[in-house]
Amino acid sequence: DAGVTQSPTHLIKTRGQQVTLRCSPKSGHDTVSWYQQALGQGPQFIFQYYEEEERQRGNFPDRFSGHQFPNYSSELNVNALLLGDSALYLCASSLPAGAGNTIYFGEGSWLTVV
Amino acid sequence: KNEVEQSPQNLTAQEGEFITINCSYSVGISALHWLQQHPGGGIVSLFMLSSGKKKHGRLIATINIQEKHSSLHITASHPRDSAVYICAAFRGSQGNLIFGKGTKLSVKP
């Protein structure tokens, strides 16, 4: 059983460009969360998707948007990239609404904005 | 002040030593996660606990809900334990994790 898979693993973009990151959740998981982790910091919550809807959102600007597909996979889109968007982007999947549910993380997508 | 605080920030130990990493939180939580992150970036969930104590191999995690404090212990540490250990509070009402900044552990042979 594949766990959470993310693509691409590494990418370099130029300021002002747009990027799309992809995530396939663990089999059977229908809730996908995205996190941004700057170097030396803990991950910060971007947003969470459930049933193809954004269920909640952290303190990130509208340049950050997402989507969840019927097969539960998800995309994170970032428009008008800034140097400060350089970070590791982590996707996590779980069953819905549960403190009792283990959360599984992908290996992350390393984004460098130059 | 961060809602989830970890200490120490960095920790160097000799192989075989007993290690303790602490986590304090200021928010109401449904559960607390201990996670391990290796240099490549991927995160592995070690424990999820809402009360008491859990043990897995050489790892032990405890939580005191009243004091809003959790600890991760590693017995008989080994160089392969070298990683960043992160505690994350799960707020059931909002369904997302709040992460500490992590503790970078280096175990020397």
Side-chain angles (χ1 to χ4, degrees):
Chain A
D1 170 34
V4 179
T5 58
Q6 291 187 242
S7 63
T9 54
H10 294 80
L11 70 167
I12 300 173
K13 289 286 188 177
T14 304
R15 273 182 299 175
Q17 284 189 316
Q18 179 263 347
V19 68
T20 297
L21 308 178
R22 295 176 177 83
C23 172
S24 292
K26 181 177 170 60
S27 178
H29 286 186
D30 52 11
T31 301
V32 174
S33 302
W34 286 93
Y35 296 87
Q36 181 196 63
Q37 186 176 20
L39 204 59
Q41 302 294 316
Q44 298 288 321
F45 175 69
I46 303 175
F47 43 54
Q48 182 181 84
Y49 278 85
Y50 171 67
E51 291 188 344
E52 302 179 54
E53 297 279 338
E54 182 181 291
R55 186 159 67 172
Q56 57 175 304
R57 188 180 182 92
N59 188 26
F60 278 79
D62 292 345
R63 298 186 297 109
F64 289 76
S65 63
H67 188 78
Q68 185 178 36
F69 299 94
N71 66 353
Y72 306 133
S73 67
S74 178
E75 287 182 350
L76 164 64
N77 301 292
V78 187
N79 294 321
L81 285 167
L82 304 173
L83 295 179
D85 295 331
S86 295
L88 175 67
Y89 289 84
L90 291 160
C91 171
S93 76
S94 65
L95 294 171
N101 296 320
T102 300
I103 297 173
Y104 292 82
F105 289 84
E107 293 291 314
S109 293
W110 291 93
L111 171 65
T112 301
V113 182
V114 297
Chain B
K1 189 178 190 299
N2 292 330
E3 292 173 295
V4 178
E5 296 274 1
Q6 282 185 241
S7 64
Q9 193 172 352
N10 291 283
L11 180 57
T12 300
Q14 287 299 125
E15 184 173 356
E17 284 186 358
F18 179 84
I19 288 163
T20 296
I21 300 170
N22 295 300
C23 175
S24 297
Y25 53 92
S26 58
V27 294
I29 69 168
S30 302
L32 188 119
H33 293 253
W34 280 102
L35 309 164
Q36 181 190 56
Q37 186 172 35
H38 282 281
I43 291 179
V44 174
S45 178
L46 298 174
F47 295 102
M48 178 182 57
L49 61 164
S50 54
S51 65
K53 175 181 175 178
K54 286 190 177 181
K55 184 176 189 293
H56 185 253
R58 295 181 294 107
L59 301 178
I60 303 167
T62 64
I63 188 168
N64 184 319
I65 297 294
Q66 287 73 31
E67 295 185 4
K68 295 188 174 179
H69 181 269
S70 177
S71 293
L72 175 68
H73 306 284
I74 305 176
T75 61
S77 60
H78 190 276
R80 64 174 174 266
D81 297 326
S82 298
V84 175
Y85 291 84
I86 304 172
C87 75
F90 181 83
R91 295 190 294 190
S93 61
Q94 302 192 36
N96 66 286
L97 291 171
I98 306 172
F99 291 79
K101 290 188 176 182
T103 295
K104 185 174 181 181
L105 171 66
S106 178
V107 181
K108 306 293 186 187

